[in-house]
Structures are given as structure tokens and as C-alpha cells.
């Protein structure tokens, strides 16, 4: 059993990211927590539905309506709602919490795409819909234990991985140079930062966090390539003279953070 399996991913911008896979232990604990919460939700729903059904049947009886098929319809509707609650629980939280459910958040693991980007509704829904199949006869457990990337069926179908949460995601861990801070102030006037997507920002942040661990030549090549792509994205005519690619990326990071702090009030 591999408890500390690691995987390297290449982003569309050719940046190598390394993650530690969550492991069967963390995933099982997270699922147990989620199932306890989900179980309480389902018990509450069935209790409310039972009271509603008894009230409806009593009303139909007093009103002399024919309700022979009503119990079957009520049961079918309850089962359908239960299914939506089951799948919706996982899909809802993994979308709004960027790959985490309450159980995953407590165990500090997260679902990401195969290229390291955050998952979206399509990936979360696919994982949730295939979860019953993964749970059947513990099929998902066997896939996780035997697969090199520790994927269950839902992960294979959705193109996702479950990894340990990265703790280097905080702004305080990044060093922003003074020239970059000054450029960040001017960037909103020079470029259209509204075109910068959260995925683009995540790639910039990942590079700035990991650049110190890269070889010099690899770091220079990546920073130059990434700076050129971002310049096109934000419609910047040219990078200001005497500005290094790293300073430009730092400035983009800082400017985006400032926009986020203002709630993107400048967006049209």
C-alpha cells in the first residue's frame, strides 16, 4: 500500500506541478465523514417526507379521492429526491469549495483535474454519478489500490485526481519585488485584466511558489513563455522596458489580487 505516492502534472502552459496523492486512508476517512453528514440529511428528509405522505394520504381519504397508486408515486418521488441529494451533496460541495467536501476539507485533501487545474461542475457531477458504482462491492477501493494514480472509476471518467491539500497557497509565502508592485499599480491602465481567468491566476501563483526549486534554465524558459502568453491574454501591447519576466508575472499576480480584494468592481 502506498501512503505517499506523488505525481507530476504538466499544465497547458508547460509548467510542471508536483502533488502528493491523498491515499486510501485519507480518502476513506473523508468518505466516512461525508456519509455521516449525508446520512443525517437523508434521515431528516425521509422523516419530513413520511409526515408529508401521511398527511397527504389522510387528506385524500377524507376527500374521497382514489389514491390506490399514491403510495407508489410517493415512494418513487422520495427515492428520486434521495438520489439527487446523494449525488448533489458531493457535486455541490466540490464545485463551491474547489474540489472539497466537508469530509475532504477535514482530512485536508482535494480533487483536481489531471492537469492540476480546479475541477468544474462537469467533473464534480461525473464523479458523483459514478460513486454508487464505485461503492458497489468496493470496486473503487480496488481501483485506488491497484492504480498508479490511485483513481477510482469516477476519477477516470472525469479526468481527476485526489491529492493532499497544498499548504503553500498563501500570498504571504510569495515575495513580490518593488518594481513589480509599482507595475501592478499601472497594469489596470495598460491592459485588460478582466480577461485574466482564475485558472490563469492559479498557474501564475503556482509558478511563483515553485520557481525557487527549478533549475535556472528551466525557470527562465518557463517564465518567458508564461509572460508572453499572459501578455496576449490581457491585451498588453508590450512589457515595460527593463522589466524581467518574473517581475511581470509578480505584477500580474499582485494586480489580480488587488482586483479580487475590490470584488472585481471594475468589471463591465
Amino acid at each position: 500500500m502506498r501512503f505517499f505516492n506523488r505525481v507530476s502534472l504538466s499544465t497547458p502552459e508547460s509548467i510542471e506541478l508536483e502533488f502528493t496523492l491523498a491515499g486510501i486512508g485519507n480518502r476513506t476517512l473523508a468518505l466516512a465523514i461525508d456519509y455521516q453528514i449525508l446520512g443525517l440529511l437523508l434521515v431528516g428528509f425521509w422523516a419530513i417526507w413520511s409526515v408529508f405522505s401521511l398527511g397527504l394520504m389522510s387528506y385524500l381519504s377524507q376527500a374521497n379521492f382514489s389514491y390506490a397508486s399514491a403510495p407508489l408515486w410517493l415512494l418513487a418521488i422520495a427515492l428520486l429526491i434521495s438520489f439527487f441529494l446523494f449525488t448533489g451533496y458531493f457535486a455541490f460541495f466540490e464545485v463551491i469549495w474547489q474540489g472539497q467536501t466537508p469530509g475532504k476539507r477535514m482530512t485536508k485533501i482535494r480533487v483536481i483535474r489531471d492537469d492540476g487545474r480546479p475541477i468544474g461542475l462537469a467533473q464534480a457531477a461525473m464523479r458523483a454519478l459514478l460513486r454508487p458504482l464505485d461503492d458497489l462491492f468496493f470496486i473503487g477501493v480496488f481501483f485506488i489500490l491497484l492504480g498508479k494514480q490511485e483513481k477510482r472509476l469516477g476519477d477516470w471518467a472525469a479526468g481527476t485526481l485526489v491529492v493532499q491539500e497544498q499548504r503553500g497557497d498563501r500570498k504571504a509565502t510569495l515575495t513580490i519585488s518593488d518594481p513589480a508592485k509599482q507595475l501592478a499599480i499601472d497594469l489596470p491602465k495598460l491592459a485588460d485584466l478582466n480577461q485574466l481567468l482564475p485558472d490563469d491566476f492559479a498557474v501564475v501563483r503556482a509558478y511563483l511558489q515553485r520557481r525557487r526549486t527549478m533549475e535556472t534554465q528551466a525557470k527562465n524558459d518557463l517564465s518567458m513563455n508564461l509572460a508572453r502568453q499572459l501578455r496576449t491574454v490581457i491585451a498588453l501591447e508590450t512589457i515595460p522596458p527593463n522589466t524581467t519576466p518574473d517581475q511581470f508575472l509578480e505584477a500580474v499576480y499582485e494586480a489580480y489580487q488587488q482586483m479580487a480584494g475590490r470584488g472585481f468592481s471594475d468589471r463591465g
Side-chain angles (χ1 to χ4, degrees), residues 8-21:
S8 295
L9 307 177
S10 179
T11 71
E13 293 76 15
S14 301
I15 293 180
E16 291 291 331
L17 305 178
E18 188 175 57
F19 297 92
T20 300
L21 296 177

Side-chain angles (χ1 to χ4, degrees), residues 194-207:
N194 291 326
Q195 300 302 318
L196 196 65
L197 299 176
D199 285 353
D200 300 323
F201 172 75
V203 171
V204 173
R205 180 181 59 189
Y207 165 74

Side-chain angles (χ1 to χ4, degrees), residues 26-40 89-90 101-107:
N26 286 333
R27 295 182 69 166
T28 301
L29 178 58
L31 187 60
I33 295 171
D34 284 326
Y35 274 167
Q36 289 184 30
I37 298 173
L38 185 56
L40 291 175
Y89 170 90
F90 293 98
T101 59
K104 290 184 177 69
R105 175 165 287 195
M106 294 179 67
T107 54

Side-chain angles (χ1 to χ4, degrees), residues 119-181:
I119 66 170
L121 178 59
Q123 291 79 29
M126 181 63 69
R127 297 183 81 254
L129 289 172
L130 289 179
R131 183 172 293 280
L133 184 58
D134 276 310
D135 291 346
L136 182 66
F137 303 122
F138 302 101
I139 292 176
V141 173
F142 287 108
F143 272 85
I144 292 172
L145 289 175
L146 299 177
K148 187 175 181 180
Q149 293 185 317
E150 299 180 0
K151 290 187 173 192
R152 62 178 178 85
L153 290 177
D155 291 315
W156 283 111
T160 57
L161 290 167
V162 183
V163 299
Q164 293 185 17
E165 188 174 16
Q166 301 295 310
R167 284 305 180 183
D169 290 352
R170 297 177 182 175
K171 185 180 178 183
T173 63
L174 299 180
T175 301
I176 307 298
S177 63
D178 290 336
K181 291 179 180 178

